[in-house]
Amino acid sequence: GTKRLVEGTINPGETCLIIEDVVTSGSSVLETAEVLQKAGLKVTDAVVLLDREQGGKTRLEERGIRLHSVCTLSSVLEILQQQGEVAVEMVEKVKKFIQGNVFEPVAQNGPAPVKRLCKELSFSARAKLPGVHPIAARLFALMEEKQTNLCLSADVTSSKELLQLAAILGPSICILKTHVDILNDFTQEVVKELRTLADRHEFLIFEDRKFADIGNTVKHQYEGGVFRIASWSDIVNAHVVPGSGVVKGLKEVGLPLQRGCLLVAEMSSQGSLATGEYTKAAVEMAEDNSDFVFGFISGSRVSNKLEFLHLTPGVQLQTGGDNLGQKYLSPEEVITKKGSDIIIVGRGILSASDRLQEAEKYRKAAWESYVSRLGIRA
């Protein structure tokens, strides 16, 4: 619309009440208050549904804003414990985590709040960051809901097998990565059925096309041709070799459809040239196009901006490599040590006699590594 931060009729000097769902550090309320105050409004109070009791109330009071919460996290835990919904051990574990991760009060006009011990935000918290892409927000939310940060690389040549994988493994994954150009029997009916399965099992579709041409060409590759990728795939990816034109071309097609793009910042193959300045250029290009680009294909965390997601291929429970230069890392190495968010697994699952059982092993390993990274089990 008008692209104004504050809409409606504003009478300078009036008092404005801020209403929020959750308060952790209080930063979101403070940022909103600053915008309102610049518009000439007074902010003295804020109402929140849940106070996580991690220092937000104190920080707001220091800035002259009284926080009124419907409930606190500790009171919710007590009720759930009394109703037998949550074990005593879990209540104590969560309370311990909260006490060890409190945002320190800071002076007015001082630096951003500093949180003790845990430097991570949960997926659900990252979904609510101001600049997060809609696809990223959706992905963060469904990962938290399904407790999975596993992407299945469905590199199969049969449409029947592709749909079987989606139907059986759908509940265990957050993303299904496809290579439709290797299907021997591709039709639009196949992706229509795949789209139905994705909606049913709540996972996103990622066509691993790795666009790498001039803007006008990738625009046509994305929108038209035999595959018509933009009509059914939530996510695509691109190399940054051609320069910013590749993203601009894709964005012309994908942005109106609310699609998202990942940039290839690093690769898991031996001897990859996607390092150093190349990776830096990919990050800069993502930041310049954050209305369409929401993350990276990379071997580690390449950006400190928590709005961006990092997906890492070349993951197996048993580390090592193959005779074609592919290097494999474990889920723990990728998520806990290298700071990635989602593991991409193909052969590790597809070569198993029981694919569902193997997928669950990977899902649990990746999720437990994420939880460990948050510090909840520390």
Side-chain angles (χ1 to χ4, degrees):
T2 62
K3 297 184 179 180
R4 295 175 57 192
L5 291 174
V6 182
E7 296 285 355
T9 303
I10 300 171
N11 298 314
E14 287 186 334
T15 300
C16 182
L17 174 68
I18 295 176
I19 300 175
E20 182 65 287
D21 54 355
V22 178
V23 161
T24 303
S25 70
S27 294
S28 179
V29 173
L30 290 172
E31 289 170 5
T32 303
E34 184 179 358
V35 172
L36 294 170
Q37 288 163 351
K38 286 181 179 178
L41 297 170
K42 294 179 180 179
V43 179
T44 58
D45 296 83
V47 173
V48 63
L49 176 61
L50 178 68
D51 179 7
R52 285 174 56 107
E53 302 173 292
Q54 288 181 258
K57 184 174 184 179
T58 301
R59 293 189 70 243
L60 291 172
E61 288 176 350
E62 288 187 341
R63 303 292 184 90
I65 300 175
R66 294 182 293 269
L67 182 67
H68 310 270
S69 60
V70 176
C71 52
T72 61
L73 188 53
S74 59
S75 65
V76 171
L77 286 169
E78 288 174 8
I79 292 171
L80 289 173
Q81 181 185 329
Q82 290 170 3
Q83 296 296 320
E85 298 294 334
V86 177
V88 176
E89 294 78 10
M90 180 56 70
V91 171
E92 292 305 314
K93 188 178 290 186
V94 174
K95 285 183 176 180
K96 183 179 179 181
F97 171 74
I98 292 172
Q99 291 167 0
N101 292 274
V102 176
F103 286 84
E104 302 284 6
V106 294
Q108 193 161 354
N109 299 322
V114 177
K115 188 169 58 172
R116 296 197 304 267
L117 297 183
C118 182
K119 297 179 181 179
E120 295 290 334
L121 286 180
S122 67
F123 290 148
S124 58
R126 289 167 69 181
K128 298 176 183 178
L129 291 171
V132 71
H133 189 281
I135 287 286
R138 184 178 163 197
L139 188 51
F140 281 133
L142 74 84
M143 286 195 294
E144 197 76 60
E145 181 182 348
K146 294 176 67 176
Q147 294 193 356
T148 177
N149 49 340
L150 169 63
C151 168
L152 173 67
S153 182
D155 297 342
V156 295
T157 57
S158 160
S159 295
K160 181 180 179 181
E161 186 176 5
L162 174 65
L163 294 174
Q164 286 176 339
L165 285 170
I168 296 170
L169 305 185
S172 299
I173 63 176
C174 60
I175 299 174
L176 180 74
K177 185 173 76 69
T178 59
H179 272 300
V180 292
D181 54 354
I182 68 172
L183 289 175
N184 295 323
D185 52 352
F186 173 85
T187 65
Q188 285 297 322
E189 283 302 311
V190 172
V191 288
K192 183 179 179 181
E193 191 169 343
L194 183 62
R195 185 72 262 170
T196 299
L197 289 167
D199 295 338
R200 180 184 305 160
H201 296 301
E202 294 185 292
F203 62 80
L204 301 187
I205 302 174
F206 167 23
E207 168 54 22
D208 190 4
R209 181 61 179 78
K210 296 187 180 75
F211 292 99
D213 214 316
I214 62 173
N216 188 59
T217 300
V218 300
K219 178 181 175 181
H220 290 298
Q221 289 173 328
Y222 188 22
E223 184 176 33
V226 175
F227 302 118
R228 289 186 283 170
I229 296 168
S231 68
W232 51 268
S233 183
D234 301 293
I235 306 165
V236 291
N237 57 352
H239 286 293
V240 300
V241 173
S244 60
V246 67
V247 175
K248 291 177 181 177
L250 294 172
K251 183 164 38 172
E252 282 189 22
V253 176
L255 197 59
L257 297 173
Q258 295 187 312
R259 304 304 192 196
C261 181
L262 299 167
L263 294 184
V264 181
E266 295 176 330
M267 296 186 73
S268 57
S269 53
Q270 187 175 1
S272 168
L273 302 179
T275 59
E277 290 301 313
Y278 181 96
T279 301
K280 183 180 177 182
V283 174
E284 291 175 355
M285 197 178 295
E287 292 175 349
D288 291 341
N289 295 277
S290 59
D291 56 343
F292 182 57
V293 177
F294 70 94
F296 307 93
I297 300 296
S298 58
S300 60
R301 182 177 294 184
V302 297
S303 170
N304 289 323
K305 293 193 173 182
L306 296 179
E307 294 88 346
F308 286 128
L309 276 148
H310 294 79
L311 288 73
T312 299
V315 178
Q316 287 200 2
L317 293 175
Q318 299 297 323
T319 59
D322 64 13
N323 60 359
L324 294 177
Q326 177 66 287
K327 296 180 294 183
Y328 293 112
L329 297 174
S330 70
E332 181 183 8
E333 175 82 11
V334 167
I335 302 297
T336 306
K337 297 180 181 179
K338 293 188 175 292
S340 190
D341 299 304
I342 296 171
I343 62 170
I344 302 175
V345 184
R347 281 176 277 183
I349 293 172
L350 299 183
S351 62
S353 57
D354 188 331
R355 290 172 168 178
L356 178 56
Q357 184 181 62
E358 199 69 11
E360 276 297 295
K361 288 181 182 177
Y362 277 97
R363 183 195 66 79
K364 290 176 182 177
W367 189 257
E368 287 173 3
S369 296
Y370 155 70
V371 171
S372 175
R373 191 175 79 188
L374 287 179
I376 293 177
R377 296 190 176 185

